[in-house]
Amino acid sequence: MSQAAVAEHGFGVEPAESPLTPESWGKLGMWVFLAADAMSFGGLLAGYGALRYGDPTWPRPSSILGIQLTAFMTFLLICSSVTMVEALAAIRQGNQASLRKFLMLTILGGITFLCFQAFEWTKLIYVEGESITKNNFGATFFILTGFHGCHVFGGVTYLSAILGRAVRGTSAAIVIGLVAVLATIGAIVLTSHFSSVVVAVVAAAAAAGVVYLVANLLSAPAGAYTAHNNNEVEIVALYWHFVDLIWILVFSFVYFL
């Protein structure tokens, strides 16, 4: 039947909807994960608020927590979001070198944040005498900030794997991801042991430096991403921006209110 005949008889041809591609499946999966994760954080923040409201002995956060240090940690995560934006913009322009540079800066920001958090926890536990079992404040604080810290740690590992894909491919992603895990844990342990901001900065820089050196050793002329194939970078950017946004909420609720 010709198109004219179809139109004459009033039959319309529905345009075929394009199926989900592997790229859109990845984004959809990340959005679903982030939505579920947002509800987890929402439940923790709601629990924190309920316990705080019902506890007249709740300590004033500014008298225990290091607001200035945590404000700098917040600024650091915001800066890491900016470098993540720059990394995605770079690969969309086909700039491999800038992609690797900005991914590395984002990883450095994440590791430094974790080292500062390790310093804060060490101070709270051994100087202020706080613990997860002492009172409601300690329980909610360590669970909430620790849960977020696990997300930052996972993000550093995820970013390092993407860096590995950017420099060579899947094999490099596995190696650099494992190196990032070990280097980050080592930096956290060192910071906790010496309980010093200076050590935290040096340990974070050293850990990021190890990741950078391994990435350089494994570097190939062309990585897995191009100006037209960078969906994985966009997906990790979604995750990292979410982690940063959640921390701003945690910082506002726990440290200020």
Side-chain angles (χ1 to χ4, degrees), residues 69-98:
L69 175 64
T70 317
F72 179 73
M73 291 163 60
T74 305
F75 173 73
L76 196 63
L77 276 189
I78 293 172
C79 289
S80 73
S81 263
V82 174
T83 57
M84 190 66 246
V85 169
E86 291 294 333
L88 182 57
I91 192 57
R92 283 177 172 172
Q93 296 171 1
N95 191 332
Q96 297 280 347
S98 291

mmCIF file of all heavy atoms in Angstrom, residues 69-98:
data_model
loop_
_atom_site.group_PDB
_atom_site.id
_atom_site.type_symbol
_atom_site.label_atom_id
_atom_site.label_comp_id
_atom_site.label_asym_id
_atom_site.label_seq_id
_atom_site.Cartn_x
_atom_site.Cartn_y
_atom_site.Cartn_z
ATOM 1 N N LEU A 69 38.444 23.145 59.175
ATOM 2 C CA LEU A 69 39.023 22.064 58.376
ATOM 3 C C LEU A 69 37.978 21.445 57.461
ATOM 4 O O LEU A 69 38.233 21.186 56.280
ATOM 5 C CB LEU A 69 39.626 20.995 59.284
ATOM 6 C CG LEU A 69 40.171 19.750 58.572
ATOM 7 C CD1 LEU A 69 41.348 20.109 57.673
ATOM 8 C CD2 LEU A 69 40.588 18.682 59.586
ATOM 9 N N THR A 70 36.782 21.224 58.011
ATOM 10 C CA THR A 70 35.733 20.595 57.216
ATOM 11 C C THR A 70 35.252 21.519 56.103
ATOM 12 O O THR A 70 34.873 21.051 55.026
ATOM 13 C CB THR A 70 34.548 20.189 58.113
ATOM 14 O OG1 THR A 70 35.042 19.595 59.317
ATOM 15 C CG2 THR A 70 33.659 19.185 57.401
ATOM 16 N N ALA A 71 35.263 22.826 56.357
ATOM 17 C CA ALA A 71 34.908 23.781 55.303
ATOM 18 C C ALA A 71 35.916 23.686 54.153
ATOM 19 O O ALA A 71 35.539 23.742 52.978
ATOM 20 C CB ALA A 71 34.867 25.195 55.871
ATOM 21 N N PHE A 72 37.189 23.525 54.514
ATOM 22 C CA PHE A 72 38.208 23.362 53.472
ATOM 23 C C PHE A 72 38.009 22.047 52.727
ATOM 24 O O PHE A 72 38.193 21.990 51.500
ATOM 25 C CB PHE A 72 39.604 23.407 54.087
ATOM 26 C CG PHE A 72 40.708 23.215 53.080
ATOM 27 C CD1 PHE A 72 41.033 24.228 52.184
ATOM 28 C CD2 PHE A 72 41.401 22.015 53.002
ATOM 29 C CE1 PHE A 72 42.030 24.052 51.235
ATOM 30 C CE2 PHE A 72 42.401 21.830 52.068
ATOM 31 C CZ PHE A 72 42.719 22.854 51.182
ATOM 32 N N MET A 73 37.630 20.986 53.444
ATOM 33 C CA MET A 73 37.349 19.708 52.800
ATOM 34 C C MET A 73 36.196 19.851 51.799
ATOM 35 O O MET A 73 36.226 19.276 50.708
ATOM 36 C CB MET A 73 37.005 18.650 53.847
ATOM 37 C CG MET A 73 38.177 18.237 54.728
ATOM 38 S SD MET A 73 37.662 17.374 56.244
ATOM 39 C CE MET A 73 36.793 15.957 55.565
ATOM 40 N N THR A 74 35.181 20.628 52.196
ATOM 41 C CA THR A 74 34.049 20.876 51.303
ATOM 42 C C THR A 74 34.503 21.625 50.063
ATOM 43 O O THR A 74 34.118 21.290 48.931
ATOM 44 C CB THR A 74 32.967 21.679 52.045
ATOM 45 O OG1 THR A 74 32.604 20.993 53.248
ATOM 46 C CG2 THR A 74 31.733 21.854 51.174
ATOM 47 N N PHE A 75 35.319 22.656 50.265
ATOM 48 C CA PHE A 75 35.865 23.420 49.143
ATOM 49 C C PHE A 75 36.685 22.507 48.222
ATOM 50 O O PHE A 75 36.622 22.626 46.992
ATOM 51 C CB PHE A 75 36.734 24.554 49.675
ATOM 52 C CG PHE A 75 37.476 25.312 48.615
ATOM 53 C CD1 PHE A 75 36.812 26.193 47.771
ATOM 54 C CD2 PHE A 75 38.847 25.142 48.456
ATOM 55 C CE1 PHE A 75 37.502 26.883 46.784
ATOM 56 C CE2 PHE A 75 39.542 25.833 47.476
ATOM 57 C CZ PHE A 75 38.869 26.709 46.636
ATOM 58 N N LEU A 76 37.405 21.578 48.811
ATOM 59 C CA LEU A 76 38.230 20.649 48.040
ATOM 60 C C LEU A 76 37.368 19.765 47.144
ATOM 61 O O LEU A 76 37.690 19.548 45.965
ATOM 62 C CB LEU A 76 39.054 19.790 49.005
ATOM 63 C CG LEU A 76 40.250 19.017 48.456
ATOM 64 C CD1 LEU A 76 41.294 19.980 47.913
ATOM 65 C CD2 LEU A 76 40.853 18.165 49.573
ATOM 66 N N LEU A 77 36.265 19.278 47.689
ATOM 67 C CA LEU A 77 35.382 18.432 46.881
ATOM 68 C C LEU A 77 34.713 19.240 45.766
ATOM 69 O O LEU A 77 34.519 18.739 44.653
ATOM 70 C CB LEU A 77 34.316 17.783 47.763
ATOM 71 C CG LEU A 77 34.707 16.490 48.482
ATOM 72 C CD1 LEU A 77 33.486 15.853 49.122
ATOM 73 C CD2 LEU A 77 35.365 15.497 47.543
ATOM 74 N N ILE A 78 34.360 20.487 46.068
ATOM 75 C CA ILE A 78 33.773 21.341 45.028
ATOM 76 C C ILE A 78 34.778 21.552 43.895
ATOM 77 O O ILE A 78 34.428 21.488 42.707
ATOM 78 C CB ILE A 78 33.320 22.684 45.624
ATOM 79 C CG1 ILE A 78 32.144 22.464 46.594
ATOM 80 C CG2 ILE A 78 32.920 23.661 44.523
ATOM 81 C CD1 ILE A 78 31.744 23.693 47.367
ATOM 82 N N CYS A 79 36.038 21.791 44.273
ATOM 83 C CA CYS A 79 37.092 21.950 43.259
ATOM 84 C C CYS A 79 37.253 20.678 42.436
ATOM 85 O O CYS A 79 37.486 20.727 41.219
ATOM 86 C CB CYS A 79 38.417 22.318 43.919
ATOM 87 S SG CYS A 79 38.465 23.996 44.593
ATOM 88 N N SER A 80 37.124 19.523 43.094
ATOM 89 C CA SER A 80 37.261 18.258 42.365
ATOM 90 C C SER A 80 36.107 18.058 41.388
ATOM 91 O O SER A 80 36.263 17.395 40.357
ATOM 92 C CB SER A 80 37.359 17.078 43.341
ATOM 93 O OG SER A 80 36.108 16.802 43.947
ATOM 94 N N SER A 81 34.943 18.616 41.700
ATOM 95 C CA SER A 81 33.834 18.572 40.743
ATOM 96 C C SER A 81 34.159 19.407 39.510
ATOM 97 O O SER A 81 33.828 19.034 38.381
ATOM 98 C CB SER A 81 32.549 19.092 41.397
ATOM 99 O OG SER A 81 31.749 18.035 41.863
ATOM 100 N N VAL A 82 34.818 20.551 39.742
ATOM 101 C CA VAL A 82 35.213 21.406 38.621
ATOM 102 C C VAL A 82 36.216 20.680 37.722
ATOM 103 O O VAL A 82 36.101 20.707 36.490
ATOM 104 C CB VAL A 82 35.811 22.733 39.134
ATOM 105 C CG1 VAL A 82 36.351 23.564 37.972
ATOM 106 C CG2 VAL A 82 34.759 23.529 39.904
ATOM 107 N N THR A 83 37.205 20.020 38.326
ATOM 108 C CA THR A 83 38.187 19.292 37.522
ATOM 109 C C THR A 83 37.538 18.124 36.775
ATOM 110 O O THR A 83 37.952 17.775 35.667
ATOM 111 C CB THR A 83 39.347 18.775 38.388
ATOM 112 O OG1 THR A 83 38.837 17.941 39.441
ATOM 113 C CG2 THR A 83 40.121 19.940 39.010
ATOM 114 N N MET A 84 36.487 17.531 37.376
ATOM 115 C CA MET A 84 35.769 16.457 36.687
ATOM 116 C C MET A 84 35.039 17.001 35.467
ATOM 117 O O MET A 84 35.004 16.370 34.399
ATOM 118 C CB MET A 84 34.775 15.800 37.656
ATOM 119 C CG MET A 84 34.141 14.515 37.134
ATOM 120 S SD MET A 84 35.311 13.159 36.936
ATOM 121 C CE MET A 84 35.300 12.946 35.163
ATOM 122 N N VAL A 85 34.448 18.183 35.608
ATOM 123 C CA VAL A 85 33.797 18.833 34.466
ATOM 124 C C VAL A 85 34.814 19.100 33.363
ATOM 125 O O VAL A 85 34.555 18.881 32.169
ATOM 126 C CB VAL A 85 33.124 20.154 34.910
ATOM 127 C CG1 VAL A 85 32.687 20.968 33.697
ATOM 128 C CG2 VAL A 85 31.927 19.860 35.802
ATOM 129 N N GLU A 86 36.001 19.564 33.752
ATOM 130 C CA GLU A 86 37.052 19.861 32.778
ATOM 131 C C GLU A 86 37.531 18.582 32.080
ATOM 132 O O GLU A 86 37.852 18.600 30.886
ATOM 133 C CB GLU A 86 38.225 20.553 33.470
ATOM 134 C CG GLU A 86 37.917 21.958 33.960
ATOM 135 C CD GLU A 86 37.652 22.916 32.823
ATOM 136 O OE1 GLU A 86 38.178 22.692 31.711
ATOM 137 O OE2 GLU A 86 36.897 23.879 33.026
ATOM 138 N N ALA A 87 37.597 17.487 32.829
ATOM 139 C CA ALA A 87 38.019 16.209 32.235
ATOM 140 C C ALA A 87 37.039 15.773 31.151
ATOM 141 O O ALA A 87 37.440 15.342 30.058
ATOM 142 C CB ALA A 87 38.134 15.141 33.318
ATOM 143 N N LEU A 88 35.746 15.869 31.448
ATOM 144 C CA LEU A 88 34.734 15.474 30.463
ATOM 145 C C LEU A 88 34.762 16.401 29.249
ATOM 146 O O LEU A 88 34.664 15.941 28.101
ATOM 147 C CB LEU A 88 33.353 15.484 31.118
ATOM 148 C CG LEU A 88 32.174 15.052 30.237
ATOM 149 C CD1 LEU A 88 32.400 13.648 29.677
ATOM 150 C CD2 LEU A 88 30.875 15.121 31.024
ATOM 151 N N ALA A 89 34.917 17.706 29.502
ATOM 152 C CA ALA A 89 34.982 18.659 28.392
ATOM 153 C C ALA A 89 36.203 18.398 27.514
ATOM 154 O O ALA A 89 36.136 18.512 26.286
ATOM 155 C CB ALA A 89 35.019 20.088 28.937
ATOM 156 N N ALA A 90 37.310 17.994 28.147
ATOM 157 C CA ALA A 90 38.541 17.746 27.393
ATOM 158 C C ALA A 90 38.387 16.570 26.436
ATOM 159 O O ALA A 90 38.767 16.657 25.261
ATOM 160 C CB ALA A 90 39.700 17.488 28.360
ATOM 161 N N ILE A 91 37.828 15.468 26.921
ATOM 162 C CA ILE A 91 37.729 14.302 26.044
ATOM 163 C C ILE A 91 36.677 14.512 24.963
ATOM 164 O O ILE A 91 36.776 13.960 23.862
ATOM 165 C CB ILE A 91 37.437 13.006 26.855
ATOM 166 C CG1 ILE A 91 37.637 11.773 25.971
ATOM 167 C CG2 ILE A 91 36.037 13.045 27.446
ATOM 168 C CD1 ILE A 91 39.005 11.664 25.347
ATOM 169 N N ARG A 92 35.676 15.340 25.230
ATOM 170 C CA ARG A 92 34.693 15.650 24.197
ATOM 171 C C ARG A 92 35.308 16.464 23.069
ATOM 172 O O ARG A 92 34.773 16.507 21.963
ATOM 173 C CB ARG A 92 33.511 16.395 24.813
ATOM 174 C CG ARG A 92 32.556 15.469 25.571
ATOM 175 C CD ARG A 92 31.440 16.215 26.234
ATOM 176 N NE ARG A 92 30.444 15.286 26.777
ATOM 177 C CZ ARG A 92 29.420 15.658 27.550
ATOM 178 N NH1 ARG A 92 29.257 16.937 27.856
ATOM 179 N NH2 ARG A 92 28.577 14.756 28.007
ATOM 180 N N GLN A 93 36.435 17.096 23.365
ATOM 181 C CA GLN A 93 37.190 17.812 22.347
ATOM 182 C C GLN A 93 38.337 16.959 21.785
ATOM 183 O O GLN A 93 39.128 17.441 20.971
ATOM 184 C CB GLN A 93 37.759 19.107 22.930
ATOM 185 C CG GLN A 93 36.690 20.101 23.357
ATOM 186 C CD GLN A 93 37.262 21.279 24.118
ATOM 187 O OE1 GLN A 93 38.471 21.378 24.315
ATOM 188 N NE2 GLN A 93 36.394 22.172 24.563
ATOM 189 N N GLY A 94 38.415 15.716 22.256
ATOM 190 C CA GLY A 94 39.454 14.812 21.781
ATOM 191 C C GLY A 94 40.815 15.057 22.391
ATOM 192 O O GLY A 94 41.828 14.565 21.879
ATOM 193 N N ASN A 95 40.849 15.760 23.520
ATOM 194 C CA ASN A 95 42.120 16.101 24.162
ATOM 195 C C ASN A 95 42.463 15.047 25.212
ATOM 196 O O ASN A 95 42.018 15.127 26.357
ATOM 197 C CB ASN A 95 42.026 17.488 24.798
ATOM 198 C CG ASN A 95 43.378 18.016 25.235
ATOM 199 O OD1 ASN A 95 44.287 17.256 25.554
ATOM 200 N ND2 ASN A 95 43.508 19.336 25.268
ATOM 201 N N GLN A 96 43.251 14.050 24.827
ATOM 202 C CA GLN A 96 43.598 12.949 25.727
ATOM 203 C C GLN A 96 44.454 13.418 26.902
ATOM 204 O O GLN A 96 44.255 12.993 28.050
ATOM 205 C CB GLN A 96 44.357 11.869 24.940
ATOM 206 C CG GLN A 96 43.570 11.206 23.837
ATOM 207 C CD GLN A 96 42.639 10.125 24.364
ATOM 208 O OE1 GLN A 96 42.746 9.704 25.519
ATOM 209 N NE2 GLN A 96 41.732 9.675 23.528
ATOM 210 N N ALA A 97 45.413 14.290 26.644
ATOM 211 C CA ALA A 97 46.324 14.739 27.698
ATOM 212 C C ALA A 97 45.578 15.479 28.797
ATOM 213 O O ALA A 97 45.812 15.259 29.993
ATOM 214 C CB ALA A 97 47.418 15.624 27.099
ATOM 215 N N SER A 98 44.663 16.357 28.415
ATOM 216 C CA SER A 98 43.901 17.114 29.411
ATOM 217 C C SER A 98 42.942 16.214 30.182
ATOM 218 O O SER A 98 42.715 16.408 31.373
ATOM 219 C CB SER A 98 43.129 18.247 28.740
ATOM 220 O OG SER A 98 44.006 19.242 28.264
#
